[in-house]
Amino acid sequence: MILTSAPYGSWSSPITADLIAANTIGLGEAVFDGEQLYWVEMRPAEGARNVLRRYDGPSSAPDLTPAHLNVRTRVHEYGGDCCTVADRVAYFSNFKDQRLYRLVPGQDPQPLTPADVDLRYANGIIHPQLRAWIGIREDHRQGGEPVNALIRLSIDPPSDPSTDPVLQDGEILASGHDFFASPSLSPDGRHLAWITWDHPQMPWDGTVLWVGTFQADGSLGEIRRVAGGPTESIFQPCWSPDGRLYFVSDRSNWWNLYRWDPQSPEGQGDRVYALEAEFGMPQWIFGMSTYGFRSAQEIICSYTQDGVWSLARLDLSPPQPVLTPLDLPFTEISNVQVSGDRVAFMAGSAVQATTLFLLDLTTETLTPIQSSNPLDLDPRYLSHPEPIAFPTDDNLTAYALYYPPTNPDFEGMANEKPPLLVKSHGGPTAATRSSLNLTIQYWTSRGFGVLDVNYGGSTGYGRAYRERLKGQWGVVDVADCANGARYMVERGDVDGDRLAIEGGSAGGYTTLCALAFTEVFRAGASRYGVSDLTALAEDTHKFESRYLDSLVGPYPAEKVLYEDRSPINHTDRLNCPAVFFQGLEDRIVPPNQTEMMVEALKQKGIPVAYVPFTEEQHGFRKAENIKRSLEGEIWFYGQIFGFTTAETIDPLVVFNLPQS
């Protein structure tokens, strides 16, 4: 086949912004109710509405929630675990009013909590004997910082169906800590486990695992501290069928599985299986799950090593546990749920979009339930990532995935190397994902190389690697992104004069720091990125309000350091173009931060574009905004790097752009 020679960046591709925006589905939590599987999915084409669905077989997966409701919670702003199901009755939060609703099949949803009060609910489970929803309540009624607590709500409808349900805000089971998460009920209903943490810790820094015993009146007594502390992160407490408490802890440097027996409560639990791998992940949202019980003697679990996830059986039978990975074609696995011989999980690979799967362990049958991007793409347009380990500052090693330009119809011009787009992930305590990312493929199929960096501070490489960012945000992450770009230039893969960097949220901060504090990049794009650390410290939501204590230093004691690391204070060092995309209802990174940066660049005479989106929060969910931000970014780079996109794209308003 004869390839068409064309400048990198100008290639045409079937992976369009319209295709990505219209077909991408956000897969939220999955949950079993007995053998019945339910899940939540977010639909950009429906104004980012979240819908609860039920799997009734290969040809039937009905929507259960009506069109006027949006299944999503705002607890911690990031939410997660907004729905649970028991005895075919669903209990969920609605985004608009943040009330908790009860949905009986065939009936209209009924609210369980009162209207017009600023209360939010998440991470719920059902206690069948107490007839109660038990979960996290975030109380904003008093103003200022909200108060979080572990609470109990009655789920019984009124005895007279013609009357309204008795609305309640919940009875407090445990309080006195800044954050609560992960309630887990013992099989006999007598014990409840949960985790807490307090400022300035984040849940991946240090959490505490508690167990309480239910009293006759439904309150909790005999509360004991099981494990954890300011330097130990506990993840996903879960009771086994024989009544022992399992949890994930990173006390060994790696998030490994531990076990604690309430009949022998001394000690802080014993490690079940030692492995230099992560069986946990940073708890940015509620309800994250990496394992579940097939029986008292067998756990189905996921773990990651060197950036690749596996699903495995962990046989607990004497004399010692045995871990047996399952032969599955995936590199990314999450949200593991187990019910008997059935396992539900989200999984993907370089050529497989993240998909909700159902695995029958007895027949080893793997059934796809819902794909995040249900498209039949020609695999020849898909770039396969190469794991990269590269040298960085202080004689250390950092990691990334490199995606080379890939298109079966085009090749670059003679003596031309492709531009490189460096992606700085958000968090920053997070990690890149190795499953099919059509946004990355959008770039590679048009002639860009993409370097997706797991800079120091990323998860998946042990606690020590994660803690490289302690006090070093804006330093280590920036150095790793810059050194990754230099490495690809030195290897001969990309054009050193056409290096761009982009990121969202914390990745946007790294992007702006890289543009201000290094001379490596020639352009950048920030999506709802932080430009002013002082403003972020003074004006953000509770969950992250002390996050910067560990990433930068205590505020205001280290105010000078905050100012020194804020790109907004160093626009004199910024000499390359940038484009900004911002949701105007963002509470995590308020719009004024982006607007201050844009104004500073305008005044300095550097090419800059600003694209605000109404009715968007932290992250873009509406199809038209996803499309505009993607097309706007490549159009902007075309103006800077000198190529014309194959598609006709509505131009952005770019201030200070030289006229050709």
Side-chain angles (χ1 to χ4, degrees):
M1 180 178 178
I2 299 176
L3 301 179
T4 300
S5 295
Y8 290 108
S10 69
W11 303 350
S12 61
S13 166
I15 305 172
T16 65
D18 274 317
L19 179 145
I20 295 171
N23 291 280
T24 298
I25 294 170
L27 294 175
E29 60 261 28
V31 60
F32 277 114
D33 176 28
E35 290 291 299
Q36 191 79 63
L37 177 63
Y38 298 77
W39 77 96
V40 175
E41 67 181 41
M42 186 274 289
R43 299 171 179 169
E46 296 183 22
R49 186 170 73 94
N50 289 262
V51 181
L52 176 64
R53 301 185 69 186
R54 183 183 67 226
Y55 180 65
D56 288 346
S59 60
S60 178
D63 292 358
L64 301 182
T65 44
H68 68 282
L69 294 179
N70 183 354
V71 183
R72 181 181 164 202
T73 179
R74 288 190 63 185
V75 177
H76 294 179
E77 295 299 335
Y78 292 107
D81 201 18
C82 55
C83 179
T84 191
V85 186
D87 296 328
R88 296 182 63 84
V89 179
Y91 305 85
F92 65 90
S93 292
N94 177 47
F95 180 69
K96 185 175 182 179
D97 57 17
Q98 288 299 295
R99 300 173 76 182
L100 194 65
Y101 284 77
R102 180 177 189 268
L103 175 59
V104 178
Q107 299 181 18
D108 292 333
Q110 296 295 321
L112 292 175
T113 57
D116 302 321
V117 294
D118 204 350
L119 297 170
R120 305 174 185 180
Y121 301 87
N123 209 192
I125 59 174
I126 301 300
H127 194 306
Q129 294 95 328
L130 293 179
R131 301 292 301 157
W133 180 95
I134 293 172
I136 312 306
R137 185 187 71 189
E138 189 172 81
D139 188 345
H140 293 249
R141 289 177 294 189
Q142 75 287 347
E145 188 170 84
V147 176
N148 294 60
L150 181 66
I151 63 109
R152 181 187 75 244
L153 275 167
S154 172
I155 60 172
D156 283 327
S159 55
D160 181 357
S162 65
T163 64
D164 290 332
V166 178
L167 302 178
Q168 53 194 312
D169 56 17
E171 296 291 332
I172 292 177
L173 293 175
S175 61
H177 293 279
D178 291 320
F179 301 98
F180 293 77
S182 306
S184 180
L185 187 65
S186 64
D188 60 9
R190 294 183 57 229
H191 304 294
L192 186 72
W194 68 95
I195 64 172
T196 66
W197 66 97
D198 293 292
H199 291 315
Q201 271 74 38
M202 298 298 285
W204 46 85
D205 296 325
T207 54
V208 176
L209 174 61
W210 305 86
V211 171
T213 302
F214 281 102
Q215 308 300 298
D217 63 356
S219 64
L220 283 175
E222 302 177 29
I223 296 175
R224 64 164 62 100
R225 179 175 180 152
V226 172
T231 59
E232 179 183 0
S233 174
I234 305 294
F235 173 87
Q236 196 191 344
C238 189
W239 297 87
S240 67
D242 61 357
R244 291 189 284 183
L245 180 62
Y246 287 69
F247 58 94
V248 176
S249 166
D250 68 352
R251 67 179 66 158
S252 71
N253 182 56
W254 300 93
W255 267 315
N256 280 190
L257 274 163
Y258 288 75
R259 177 173 55 209
W260 178 84
D261 192 337
Q263 304 305 315
S264 304
E266 299 302 320
Q268 296 190 343
D270 300 315
R271 185 154 55 164
V272 175
Y273 189 83
L275 189 67
E276 290 190 353
E278 305 277 41
F279 290 78
M281 56 182 63
Q283 298 172 78
W284 278 104
I285 61 174
F286 291 106
M288 293 174 140
S289 176
T290 60
Y291 72 97
F293 291 91
R294 186 184 188 186
S295 69
Q297 295 301 317
E298 185 176 350
I299 293 175
I300 306 300
C301 56
S302 60
Y303 61 93
T304 181
Q305 285 182 305
D306 299 323
V308 176
W309 283 85
S310 300
L311 190 69
R313 302 173 189 255
L314 180 58
D315 186 350
L316 303 172
S317 303
Q320 61 185 14
V322 176
L323 185 73
T324 306
L326 300 174
D327 185 15
L328 297 171
F330 308 122
T331 58
E332 189 81 36
I333 295 172
S334 62
N335 197 23
V336 177
Q337 306 290 327
V338 184
S339 178
D341 293 327
R342 290 151 61 89
V343 185
F345 58 95
M346 314 288 187
S349 70
V351 295
Q352 166 79 61
T354 299
T355 299
L356 172 61
F357 287 96
L358 189 60
L359 173 64
D360 188 315
L361 294 169
T362 57
T363 64
E364 298 186 351
T365 302
L366 185 66
T367 304
I369 305 300
Q370 177 64 60
S371 171
S372 62
N373 206 299
L375 297 170
D376 185 18
L377 287 172
D378 185 337
R380 296 178 303 158
Y381 289 94
L382 301 180
S383 178
H384 291 243
E386 174 193 356
I388 298 290
F390 58 89
T392 191
D393 290 7
D394 299 321
N395 296 315
L396 296 172
T397 298
Y399 304 94
L401 296 174
Y402 175 63
Y403 296 80
T406 304
N407 190 308
D409 306 318
F410 290 92
E411 63 180 358
M413 305 295 289
N415 301 318
E416 182 192 18
K417 291 182 178 179
L420 177 71
L421 179 62
V422 173
K423 293 182 70 67
S424 170
H425 66 70
T429 310
T432 62
R433 304 189 66 176
S434 57
S435 56
L436 177 63
N437 183 330
L438 286 183
T439 299
I440 288 177
Q441 303 295 339
Y442 176 90
W443 293 98
T444 56
S445 64
R446 284 164 174 74
F448 272 73
V450 174
L451 188 70
D452 205 358
V453 181
N454 266 329
Y455 49 77
S458 303
T459 53
Y461 303 90
R463 185 177 182 109
Y465 191 83
R466 199 165 72 238
E467 291 191 338
R468 283 190 191 177
L469 213 56
K470 290 282 188 180
Q472 296 296 308
W473 192 31
V475 179
V476 165
D477 50 323
V478 173
D480 289 354
C481 287
N483 287 326
R486 291 189 183 103
Y487 179 78
M488 299 312 299
V489 172
E490 291 167 1
R491 231 178 56 158
D493 293 71
V494 299
D495 183 351
D497 291 325
R498 293 192 293 173
L499 302 177
I501 182 170
E502 65 135 37
S505 190
Y509 169 69
T510 301
T511 293
L512 295 174
C513 285
L515 297 180
F517 304 140
T518 77
E519 296 182 356
V520 174
F521 300 100
R522 298 295 179 263
S526 169
R527 287 172 169 78
Y528 38 90
V530 177
S531 63
D532 186 348
L533 291 180
T534 300
L536 184 64
E538 295 175 341
D539 183 18
T540 192
H541 60 120
K542 179 184 177 181
F543 180 67
E544 292 185 284
S545 63
R546 300 289 299 279
Y547 189 17
L548 300 190
D549 283 25
S550 62
L551 293 176
V552 182
Y555 184 84
E558 298 289 349
K559 192 173 190 298
V560 173
L561 186 58
Y562 278 69
E563 293 172 348
D564 188 54
R565 291 208 198 146
S566 295
I568 189 67
N569 298 326
H570 298 280
T571 54
D572 58 312
R573 299 175 60 179
L574 184 58
N575 292 297
C576 64
V579 57
F580 296 79
F581 303 93
Q582 175 71 43
L584 295 182
E585 295 182 7
D586 193 338
R587 279 278 294 116
I588 295 168
V589 177
N592 66 303
Q593 287 200 32
T594 292
E595 290 160 2
M596 287 189 294
M597 195 71 175
V598 171
E599 186 59 31
L601 293 177
K602 285 170 60 178
Q603 294 302 318
K604 195 177 180 187
I606 295 172
V608 60
Y610 176 45
V611 185
F613 296 122
T614 60
E615 299 182 356
E616 286 283 19
Q617 293 88 42
H618 197 65
F620 306 145
R621 293 172 172 84
K622 294 187 176 182
E624 61 270 25
N625 298 338
I626 295 171
K627 174 186 176 182
R628 182 57 170 160
S629 64
L630 189 55
E631 289 188 337
E633 184 177 351
I634 195 170
W635 180 90
F636 183 80
Y637 293 152
Q639 306 307 300
I640 306 305
F641 292 153
F643 63 84
T644 301
T645 59
E647 300 99 335
T648 300
I649 297 174
D650 289 338
L652 306 182
V653 175
V654 182
F655 298 95
N656 306 320
L657 184 67
Q659 298 299 313
S660 57

